[in-house]
Amino acid sequence: MNLSNNTVERITKIYGYLDALEDREVGFVSSKELSEAVGATDHTIRKDISLLKIGGYTRKGYSVRSLKFELAEKLELNKKRKACIVGLGRLGTALLDYEQDKEDGFEIVAGFDCSINKLERIHTYIEVFSMSELENTIKERAIDLGIVTVPVKAAQQVADQLIEVGIKGILNFSPAKIVVPKSIIYLDMDFTNALRFIAAKFIIK
Amino acid sequence: MNLSNNTVERITKIYGYLDALEDREVGFVSSKELSEAVGATDHTIRKDISLLKIGGYTRKGYSVRSLKFELAEKLELNKKRKACIVGLGRLGTALLDYEQDKEDGFEIVAGFDCSINKLERIHTYIEVFSMSELENTIKERAIDLGIVTVPVKAAQQVADQLIEVGIKGILNFSPAKIVVPKSIIYLDMDFTNALRFIAAKFIIK
């Protein structure tokens, strides 16, 4: 399948909305409601879903359960790829303990930090390692995704190291801009940019 | 000004990119380079910038410094609105200490938690309060933005409380879906959705 990032983003938001509807035991949802939840037009949402070759739009709308099931199948969200966190400051350790009972496609299986002191003080169910064990651990555990929570100055170097040892995706929580080859899946969770977006919305309605 | 969320998002990403270029002492940037950094077409970027009534595209491209300056003026990123963090678990305390030397439009001036024990154990330069002091503190300090880092179950209630005492924007870090009135500026920093997006990109190229 070859879909734009915008489509993929809308689809994953739809999935999250269906998940919330299922918790509330809602049976059916219209494409209009989905479009409002996601912030796109009715038409776009139906097109996005049909691009995944999913049908099932009835008079009552989509069945919440079966649309959610089909999306999970298509996006392989039930499959748990392996992820690691690099940088175990407060943010990194917070993410180690993130409530992960959801189908989100990943399982965090390791944490890394360069400070042995910090590693000794961390209490978590997830195994933690020093940076010198990065290569071995990532290869042995077949880890696909690196979640980067190191300080700005170390971010690019850590990303380069992760890519060198075979990681396929990077989720960057540092405010640094990281440059990666096109073959690497990359996403920024940029707090600074989020604040700027909100600040701009105060001015631009 | 009346711009779409997509335009505002691109503009704030452009700003972040200009900021990185300025750090590297780059003088000029083409709209093509900006478009690649942001993931939109050349044409879209130039249109976004012109919607803000900013000109200055020369043969060498935009001047990094003056475009950044003009964007900061238009979006009032130099103005520091006041923000608070509600929920001082690991993520909340990590954000309290976030490296905030950047023009991002906000200054974090208070943290809140319902656990007095937790409040006593927290070491930070930013003042922390119990939830019973929420209303007074937000009104006295004229806080505009609430950053929500409470567990899923408390998220909607905390958001309702914030809105009731006059907050104008909410940045939601909890995986909960929060419902807010249309007049409230709202943004999700959804880790679960970010993981799903990356998982989907493993399948959908």
Side-chain angles (χ1 to χ4, degrees):
Chain A
M1 272 183 288
N2 199 312
L3 304 180
S4 75
N5 274 354
N6 285 341
T7 293
V8 175
E9 203 183 327
R10 283 191 297 269
I11 295 278
T12 52
K13 281 187 184 165
I14 289 171
Y15 185 88
Y17 190 71
L18 293 169
D19 190 52
L21 289 178
E22 202 181 33
D23 283 350
R24 285 163 45 208
E25 295 181 16
V26 175
F28 287 88
V29 61
S30 67
S31 56
K32 188 162 183 301
E33 185 177 341
L34 289 178
S35 74
E36 281 163 10
V38 169
T41 68
D42 205 355
H43 174 75
T44 304
I45 296 301
R46 275 193 291 206
K47 200 175 148 203
D48 287 341
I49 293 173
S50 73
L51 285 172
L52 291 169
K53 303 198 176 28
I54 296 176
Y57 197 66
T58 70
R59 231 173 0 101
K60 288 193 280 181
Y62 293 102
S63 150
V64 170
R65 183 177 302 182
S66 73
L67 180 54
K68 190 188 155 194
F69 176 81
E70 288 215 58
L71 289 179
E73 289 282 304
K74 298 277 183 185
L75 308 182
E76 297 190 8
L77 295 177
N78 297 314
K79 188 169 167 178
K80 289 280 179 190
R81 292 174 202 277
K82 295 194 167 71
C84 67
I85 291 176
V86 186
L88 300 175
R90 284 185 184 170
L91 178 60
T93 49
L95 294 177
L96 271 185
D97 286 345
Y98 198 78
E99 306 169 40
Q100 268 207 304
D101 54 344
K102 293 293 185 186
E103 288 99 19
D104 54 25
F106 288 98
E107 174 190 14
I108 295 165
V109 298
F112 298 94
D113 201 280
C114 57
S115 156
I116 305 292
N117 261 335
K118 211 180 270 172
L119 293 172
E120 279 172 356
R121 277 182 288 115
I122 286 172
H123 297 286
T124 168
Y125 289 108
I126 291 156
E127 221 174 331
V128 295
F129 302 91
S130 80
M131 287 301 283
S132 63
E133 295 165 287
L134 190 81
E135 179 165 4
N136 273 345
T137 313
I138 285 180
K139 287 183 175 167
E140 269 169 23
R141 303 195 172 194
I143 295 175
D144 279 338
L145 174 66
I147 299 169
V148 175
T149 53
V150 296
V152 175
K153 279 183 186 169
Q156 182 67 53
Q157 194 205 318
V158 160
D160 292 345
Q161 238 178 309
L162 285 168
I163 293 164
E164 208 181 299
V165 301
I167 222 97
K168 298 190 191 90
I170 286 183
L171 177 54
N172 175 29
F173 273 89
S174 93
K177 295 289 149 211
I178 294 179
V179 182
V180 300
K182 287 211 169 151
S183 59
I184 301 293
I185 299 160
Y186 178 82
L187 187 66
D188 259 323
M189 289 281 282
D190 185 339
F191 182 47
T192 304
N193 197 56
L195 291 177
R196 282 175 186 152
F197 177 84
I198 293 175
K201 292 293 290 178
F202 272 87
I203 307 303
I204 301 167
K205 293 295 163 203
Chain B
M1 274 181 287
N2 200 312
L3 305 180
S4 75
N5 274 353
N6 285 341
T7 294
V8 176
E9 204 182 326
R10 283 191 298 268
I11 295 279
T12 53
K13 281 187 185 166
I14 288 171
Y15 185 88
Y17 190 72
L18 293 169
D19 189 53
L21 288 179
E22 202 181 35
D23 282 350
R24 284 163 44 209
E25 296 181 15
V26 176
F28 287 87
V29 60
S30 66
S31 57
K32 188 163 185 301
E33 184 177 341
L34 290 177
S35 75
E36 280 163 11
V38 169
T41 68
D42 206 354
H43 174 74
T44 304
I45 295 303
R46 274 192 290 205
K47 199 175 149 206
D48 288 340
I49 293 173
S50 73
L51 284 172
L52 289 169
K53 303 198 177 25
I54 296 176
Y57 197 67
T58 70
R59 229 171 5 98
K60 288 193 282 181
Y62 293 103
S63 150
V64 170
R65 181 177 304 182
S66 72
L67 181 54
K68 190 189 153 194
F69 177 81
E70 288 216 58
L71 289 179
E73 288 283 304
K74 298 277 183 186
L75 308 181
E76 297 189 8
L77 296 176
N78 297 314
K79 188 169 167 179
K80 289 278 178 191
R81 290 173 203 279
K82 296 195 166 70
C84 67
I85 292 177
V86 186
L88 300 175
R90 284 186 186 169
L91 179 59
T93 49
L95 294 178
L96 271 186
D97 286 344
Y98 198 79
E99 306 170 41
Q100 268 206 304
D101 54 343
K102 292 294 185 186
E103 287 98 19
D104 53 24
F106 288 98
E107 173 191 14
I108 296 165
V109 298
F112 298 94
D113 201 281
C114 56
S115 156
I116 305 291
N117 260 336
K118 211 180 270 173
L119 292 173
E120 279 171 357
R121 276 183 287 115
I122 286 172
H123 297 287
T124 168
Y125 289 107
I126 290 156
E127 220 175 330
V128 295
F129 302 91
S130 80
M131 286 301 281
S132 64
E133 296 167 285
L134 190 80
E135 181 165 2
N136 272 345
T137 313
I138 285 179
K139 287 183 174 167
E140 269 169 24
R141 303 196 173 195
I143 295 175
D144 278 338
L145 174 66
I147 300 169
V148 175
T149 52
V150 297
V152 175
K153 280 183 186 169
Q156 182 67 53
Q157 195 206 317
V158 160
D160 293 345
Q161 238 178 308
L162 285 167
I163 292 164
E164 210 181 296
V165 302
I167 222 98
K168 298 191 190 93
I170 287 183
L171 177 55
N172 175 30
F173 273 90
S174 93
K177 292 289 150 215
I178 293 179
V179 181
V180 299
K182 286 209 170 154
S183 59
I184 301 293
I185 300 161
Y186 177 82
L187 187 66
D188 259 323
M189 289 281 282
D190 185 339
F191 183 47
T192 305
N193 197 56
L195 291 177
R196 282 177 186 150
F197 177 84
I198 293 175
K201 293 292 291 179
F202 272 90
I203 307 303
I204 300 167
K205 293 293 166 215

